[in-house]
Amino acid sequence: MMCANSFASKLALPTKTPSSNGISVKLFVYDTGSDSGNFADVAKKPELKDMDLFIGPLYNANFIPVAKISKENNIPIVSPIAMNNKLLLGNVNVSKTTPSITTQVEQMANYVSQNYWKENIIIVNNPKGKDIAFVNAAKKIITDAAKDKNLSPADTVKVLTGIFGAATYLNSAKINIVLIPTSDPSVV
């Protein structure tokens, strides 16, 4: 709850001082909590259909009903926390501020392949194996970039399972870039 209160108070800050550019803001803040049962009364408020923008709710259980109101009334809605892309499906009014893990991995791999393609790149797969899709995506992006530069992918990127043994892949003549694309917070 502290996170949500902090988020709401910071969002309200610009509306508390008169604007020099002539824009006025009328901000509605509803404390819905994480329980979708508490949200039922808020979802029935008639003023929701007249909003110009929704930011939140923070919790997925409450976000879905507001997204429905957003779709029915063509009102943009922003999810400030959710990383799941499923929120975007079927509603052109929905956007989110946090990219999915897949997007983060792809962007990381693009950055590495553009800026460190001459270096020693090591991709570490989580030994639990559930992140293999992320590892494969990163490897494909980096190896494709290596091929475009006429480099041998085998000389550019190495993939290993688990961090143990990574020292044998380190190269003292190059910068060593170690990527651990994972959705498991305990690994990172």
Side-chain angles (χ1 to χ4, degrees), residues 126-139:
N126 180 350
K128 296 177 185 172
K130 69 178 187 171
D131 294 322
I132 193 68
F134 302 138
V135 170
N136 289 339
K139 180 181 177 185

Side-chain angles (χ1 to χ4, degrees), residues 19-170:
S19 176
S20 60
N21 61 8
I23 296 174
S24 64
V25 176
K26 188 172 183 181
L27 182 69
F28 294 80
V29 178
Y30 301 103
D31 184 1
T32 60
S34 62
D35 182 8
S36 59
N38 295 338
F39 182 70
D41 292 336
V42 173
K44 293 177 187 172
K45 292 189 178 281
E47 67 262 19
L48 292 180
K49 294 178 182 179
D50 296 322
M51 298 290 172
D52 294 318
L53 171 70
F54 294 116
I55 300 176
L58 299 180
Y59 298 99
N60 197 37
N62 295 340
F63 188 88
I64 292 169
V66 177
K68 183 179 177 194
I69 295 167
S70 154
K71 184 176 183 176
E72 291 168 353
N73 296 282
N74 198 28
I75 302 168
I77 182 170
V78 177
S79 174
I81 295 177
M83 292 193 326
N84 190 334
N85 283 342
K86 289 181 183 175
L87 292 174
L88 305 173
L89 298 175
N91 188 345
V92 296
N93 295 307
V94 177
S95 61
K96 58 191 190 92
T97 59
T98 307
S100 69
I101 294 172
T102 301
T103 300
Q104 291 177 46
V105 167
E106 289 169 350
Q107 291 302 312
M108 175 182 62
N110 280 322
Y111 179 82
V112 168
S113 67
Q114 291 170 9
N115 296 285
Y116 296 99
W117 55 274
K118 291 183 178 178
E119 307 303 341
N120 186 41
I121 303 168
I122 302 167
I123 302 175
V124 179
N125 184 22
N126 180 350
K128 296 177 185 172
K130 69 178 187 171
D131 294 322
I132 193 68
F134 302 138
V135 170
N136 289 339
K139 180 181 177 185
K140 180 176 180 353
I141 289 168
I142 294 168
T143 56
D144 287 351
K147 288 176 191 172
D148 289 345
K149 294 174 175 64
N150 295 321
L151 297 172
S152 165
D155 294 336
T156 306
V157 63
K158 291 113 186 133
V159 177
L160 60 139
T161 300
I163 197 72
F164 300 108
T168 59
Y169 291 93
L170 298 177

